[in-house]
Amino acid sequence: NAGVTQTPKFQVLKTGQSMTLQCAQDMNHNSMYWYRQDPGMGLRLIYYSASEGTTDKGEVPNGYNVSRLNKREFSLRLESAAPSQTSVYFCASSSRQFEAFFGQGTRLTVV
Amino acid sequence: RKEVEQDPGPFNVPEGATVAFNCTYSNSASQSFFWYRQDCRKEPKLLMSVYSSGNEDGRFTAQLNRASQYISLLIRDSKLSDSATYLCVVNVNNAGNMLTFGGGTRLMVKP
């Protein structure tokens, strides 16, 4: 019962470094999402993908890129990390009824 | 104005109490509504979907009021284990499958 798997769980980056957060789901869901969660800000949508081959910007897309590699995988890339991108990142996928299931999160610190 | 708004709380209640949370949404075309539970430093987990006719799951009851654009969550006979943050989620664009989260309401149940 893997559900949604995110890697890595923790990461420390220096300003200007790049990295890719990986996400995979095994529930055959069409829709996948990347959110960030900051203290006092709730979950904010970065990008989402309604189906394989499509991606759309969410509320806070600047500084990020995404790739929907196939139906299972949806990655998030930080090309040049900034301290403002220090956050907890959650990947999610949703059923046709829009019930979302989340990965365990990636705690990213940019110094 | 945020698309989905919640009172951040915290709501401090004794065990056995009944507590209710409201969540307002701004887009009248919103179609799907959910309550999620998030424990500290964990991923959000689906608590229940909210249907037009309302729905109940054990001690939890969810209601939708489309005319006033809010959804509610009622918890009866509160348990210590109910302490968590409760997130209201709205699907604001059926075609795009985008899910928007409220900021969450924190509940603390005391012995």
Side-chain angles (χ1 to χ4, degrees), chain A residues 11 13 15 36-39 44 64 78 81-89 106-111:
Chain A
Q11 183 72 50
L13 290 178
T15 298
R36 61 177 287 174
Q37 187 172 37
D38 303 293
R44 293 184 292 169
Y64 306 95
L78 287 70
S84 60
Q85 294 177 306
T86 293
S87 188
V88 180
Y89 291 85
T106 297
R107 283 167 176 74
L108 175 67
T109 302
V110 183
V111 298

Side-chain angles (χ1 to χ4, degrees), chain A residues 1-105:
Chain A
N1 289 341
V4 179
T5 303
Q6 275 183 249
T7 56
K9 288 188 169 52
F10 301 93
Q11 183 72 50
V12 179
L13 290 178
K14 293 182 179 178
T15 298
Q17 285 186 316
S18 62
M19 78 162 295
T20 299
L21 281 65
Q22 306 287 351
C23 176
Q25 52 94 7
D26 62 3
M27 294 174 282
N28 201 35
H29 288 164
N30 284 323
S31 300
M32 297 187 73
Y33 311 83
W34 277 104
Y35 290 89
R36 61 177 287 174
Q37 187 172 37
D38 303 293
M41 297 292 290
L43 280 149
R44 293 184 292 169
L45 183 63
I46 304 171
Y47 271 92
Y48 66 104
S49 170
S51 62
E52 184 179 353
T54 68
T55 61
D56 287 284
K57 294 179 180 179
E59 183 184 355
V60 288
N62 291 345
Y64 306 95
N65 286 302
V66 289
S67 294
R68 184 73 183 267
L69 303 169
N70 47 56
K71 192 170 186 179
R72 289 186 66 249
E73 298 172 287
F74 188 38
S75 62
L76 178 72
R77 183 161 177 84
L78 287 70
E79 290 290 353
S80 179
S84 60
Q85 294 177 306
T86 293
S87 188
V88 180
Y89 291 85
F90 288 105
C91 175
S93 68
S94 72
S95 65
R96 288 183 181 276
Q97 293 72 35
F98 306 111
E99 296 176 344
F101 298 85
F102 285 80
Q104 292 184 311

Side-chain angles (χ1 to χ4, degrees), chain B residues 1-6 23-33 64-71 88-93 98 100-102:
Chain B
R1 181 185 175 189
K2 289 183 182 179
E3 290 194 53
V4 182
E5 294 201 71
Q6 296 181 250
C23 164
T24 59
Y25 60 94
S26 61
N27 190 329
S28 60
S30 299
Q31 296 290 326
S32 305
F33 309 89
L64 168 64
N65 185 318
R66 284 192 184 274
S68 300
Q69 295 185 201
Y70 74 86
I71 66 172
C88 169
V89 183
V90 176
N91 169 237
V92 296
N93 181 345
M98 193 163 67
T100 300
F101 282 73

